[in-house]
C-alpha cells in the first residue's frame, strides 16, 4: 500500500519553522510573568 504524502516547498518549510519559533517565543513571553510570580511567592 502506498502512503499519500504531500511534499512541501522550501518556502513552506521556512514559514512553518518561523511560525513554530514565533509561537514558542510568544508562549515564553506569556508564561514568564506567571513563573516569576510563583517563584517570588516562596521564600
Amino acid at each position: 500500500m502506498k502512503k499519500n504524502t504531500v511534499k512541501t516547498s522550501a518556502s513552506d518549510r521556512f514559514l512553518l519553522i518561523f511560525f513554530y519559533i514565533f509561537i514558542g517565543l510568544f508562549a515564553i513571553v506569556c508564561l514568564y510573568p506567571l513563573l516569576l510570580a510563583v517563584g517570588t511567592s516562596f521564600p
Side-chain angles (χ1 to χ4, degrees):
M1 192 186 318
K2 193 173 183 181
K3 200 175 194 182
N4 291 336
T5 58
V6 178
K7 293 197 174 197
T8 57
S9 65
S11 63
D12 288 341
R13 279 180 281 172
F14 174 76
L15 278 176
L16 192 62
I17 291 170
F18 174 75
F19 287 137
Y20 278 135
I21 291 172
F22 178 75
I23 290 171
L25 289 175
F26 186 74
I28 291 170
V29 167
C30 289
L31 288 175
Y32 180 72
L34 176 68
L35 293 175
L36 189 64
V38 171
T40 56
S41 66
F42 296 109

